[in-house]
Amino acid sequence: MTNKFHLTFDVDLHLLWTGTYHRTALGELSRGEFGLKVGLPRVLEVLKEENVSATFFIPGKIGELFPNKVKEIHDAGHEVAVHGYAHERWNELSYEEEYELIKKSKQILENITGQEIDGFRSPAWSLNDKSVEILKELDFKYDSSLMANDYELYPLRTDDYMTLDGELHFGEETDLIEIPVSWELDDFPYFCFTGKNVGLRSTKDVLECWKLEVDSSIKFGSYFTLTMHPQIIGRGPRILMLQELIQYIKSYKDIKFITLKEAFEYGRNKDGIIL
């Protein structure tokens, strides 16, 4: 069995700070600028050197602000997918707002790339109870925001919810696939200083954590999904760490680096059953 490895990058840039944190100070905005001008070129160069394709989740607003950067990512052979419009606080949106923002962002990115956008990742991994219904209606193929598995794909359900008084409801399975994420496999909690979240771990420690996750994915599953941000992973020591991790993964036999779109295609047989 070939194990599949996915490198994914959330190109939040300035919107991480204005959207999720509602901060507009120059200090935070300069961190987004670092991601644009320094981090992203370093990421693309490492992927080119290692001959690895990745998936880039991009807010629609970033497509409006920096269409040439989105085109550069696409032209380098990487997948482009939707990451909200302006990195909104997703749980605060109404159904109508969520629908329109996803639809708008999908169209923006499709206009830039000239290709259908198949994937979605919510800002801060915060889906609402009607999000799956919206993604289906807008013809998405997969989501990558949830954590009900570690190294295997699974079908998304509509209308999942739990109330504060303990009522739990599981809806019906759909043909949308979840490609699960985890905070353990995200550079943000390890490296990003926000004030409340210290996030200043050494690359040595994080590399060891991620190598153990690689080893575990080989033993327990088929899919490994790593989430990173150009403004975080793009700092000098960290981009070197990422390249070392890629080379460590390559030391295994029977592995393949693929995009999440390819994971969706691998993950279903001709009858639509998840493999």
Side-chain angles (χ1 to χ4, degrees):
M1 178 183 66
T2 300
N3 284 70
K4 289 86 172 176
F5 287 82
H6 322 125
L7 303 182
T8 70
F9 298 89
D10 293 357
V11 189
D12 313 314
L13 305 178
H14 313 71
L15 301 180
L16 171 64
W17 305 105
T18 59
T20 296
Y21 289 96
H22 288 184
R23 297 178 184 176
T24 58
L26 293 183
E28 277 83 5
L29 297 184
S30 69
R31 295 160 81 174
E33 186 175 355
F34 175 91
L36 177 71
K37 295 182 177 179
V38 181
L40 183 57
R42 286 177 177 171
V43 165
L44 292 174
E45 182 60 28
V46 164
L47 296 177
K48 181 180 179 181
E49 288 179 6
E50 297 297 331
N51 193 28
V52 169
S53 295
T55 298
F56 288 75
F57 288 94
I58 304 177
K61 183 66 175 179
I62 294 296
E64 291 179 333
L65 291 171
F66 310 109
N68 290 341
K69 287 295 182 180
V70 177
K71 192 173 188 307
E72 181 182 357
I73 292 167
H74 174 260
D75 289 350
H78 304 296
E79 179 190 7
V80 171
V82 173
H83 192 40
Y85 175 70
H87 213 271
E88 297 80 6
R89 294 183 178 181
W90 211 248
N91 63 316
E92 296 178 0
L93 300 178
S94 68
Y95 176 94
E96 292 76 15
E97 290 170 331
E98 182 177 359
Y99 181 94
E100 291 302 323
L101 288 173
I102 297 175
K103 180 181 178 182
K104 178 180 181 179
S105 299
K106 188 174 192 284
Q107 189 62 63
I108 291 168
L109 298 179
E110 287 179 342
N111 288 343
I112 295 171
T113 64
Q115 291 188 343
E116 183 177 359
I117 301 297
D118 294 308
F120 179 78
R121 173 175 286 166
S122 63
W125 295 340
S126 179
L127 289 182
N128 298 312
D129 59 352
K130 298 298 183 182
S131 296
V132 175
E133 179 181 315
I134 291 172
L135 294 177
K136 278 183 60 62
E137 187 168 347
L138 293 175
D139 296 322
F140 284 85
K141 303 294 191 300
Y142 72 84
D143 173 72
S144 186
S145 311
L146 301 178
M147 309 182 192
N149 208 310
D150 47 11
Y151 311 120
E152 296 291 353
L153 314 184
Y154 62 92
L156 283 164
R157 296 182 299 261
T158 57
D159 296 318
D160 280 7
Y161 65 84
M162 186 171 185
T163 63
L164 292 178
D165 61 3
E167 180 186 354
L168 177 62
H169 179 266
F170 292 135
E172 295 185 2
E173 288 188 357
T174 73
D175 58 357
L176 273 169
I177 281 183
E178 179 63 31
I179 303 175
V181 293
S182 71
W183 288 113
E184 292 83 356
L185 286 172
D186 187 314
D187 61 0
F188 190 94
Y190 295 112
F191 292 131
C192 190
F193 180 82
T194 65
K196 294 181 179 179
N197 170 44
V198 176
L200 294 175
R201 296 280 294 277
S202 75
T203 55
K204 181 180 178 180
D205 288 345
V206 177
L207 180 60
E208 182 62 25
C209 289
W210 286 356
K211 283 182 176 180
L212 290 172
E213 291 278 353
V214 169
D215 299 342
S216 299
S217 73
I218 296 290
K219 180 176 177 61
F220 294 117
S222 303
Y223 299 88
F224 172 100
T225 304
L226 182 62
T227 301
M228 294 164 286
H229 304 73
Q231 63 185 292
I232 299 172
I233 202 68
R235 288 197 62 85
R238 299 172 194 160
I239 202 71
L240 295 176
M241 178 199 73
L242 173 59
Q243 189 157 24
E244 185 175 345
L245 180 71
I246 293 171
Q247 293 168 355
Y248 178 76
I249 294 170
K250 287 181 174 180
S251 71
Y252 271 101
K253 296 180 180 179
D254 296 324
I255 66 97
K256 187 177 182 67
F257 284 94
I258 61 174
T259 66
L260 296 195
K261 179 177 181 177
E262 291 172 314
F264 166 81
E265 293 166 350
Y266 271 107
R268 284 192 176 275
N269 66 16
K270 62 181 177 61
D271 297 316
I273 305 301
I274 294 180
L275 302 175

